[in-house]
């Protein structure tokens, strides 16, 4: 199907160089509004959103949070650096 041609996977390495794991989040099947954050390349000179790895204060679970890098005006697209 047409949907299968799109890949909505966020990959992040968590842990030290000697250990750790890769986390794959597939936003095609489940997610929230942040799944619509796009890569800034060919759209804007720089990203306006960044991501952080944090531990949830109540559960200790690893979570990935988004934050703005500058003021974003209403109607402006959220754009992040997807990396290489």
């Amino acid at each position: 199907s047409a949907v299968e041609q799109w890949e909505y996977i966020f990959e992040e390495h968590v842990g030290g160089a000697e250990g750790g794991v890769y986390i794959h989040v597939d936003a095609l099947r489940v997610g929230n509004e942040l799944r619509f954050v796009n890569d800034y390349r060919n759209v804007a000179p720089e990203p306006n959103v960044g991501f952080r790895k944090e531990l949830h204060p109540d559960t200790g679970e690893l979570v990935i949070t988004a934050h703005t890098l500058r003021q974003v005006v209403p109607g402006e697209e959220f754009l992040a650096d997807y990396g290489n």
Side-chain angles (χ1 to χ4, degrees):
S1 76
V3 174
E4 291 172 352
Q5 70 179 326
W6 301 101
E7 188 174 358
Y8 296 93
I9 296 178
F10 178 82
E11 179 179 273
E12 183 69 33
H13 183 261
V14 179
E18 293 296 317
V21 296
Y22 280 96
I23 295 175
H24 300 270
V25 179
D26 184 350
L28 179 63
R29 299 189 190 342
V30 67
N32 59 24
E33 291 81 2
L34 290 177
R35 68 198 253 180
F36 301 109
V37 173
N38 290 311
D39 191 78
Y40 80 98
R41 290 173 187 81
N42 300 318
V43 178
E46 59 189 18
N48 58 17
V49 172
F51 296 103
R52 290 187 189 126
K53 296 177 285 189
E54 302 177 6
L55 294 179
H56 190 280
D58 296 329
T59 66
E61 293 178 314
L62 179 68
V63 294
I64 299 171
T65 61
H67 58 96
T68 57
L69 301 173
R70 60 167 176 77
Q71 184 173 355
V72 178
V73 298
E76 185 176 0
E77 183 176 11
F78 289 130
L79 301 168
D81 183 349
Y82 280 10
N84 298 335

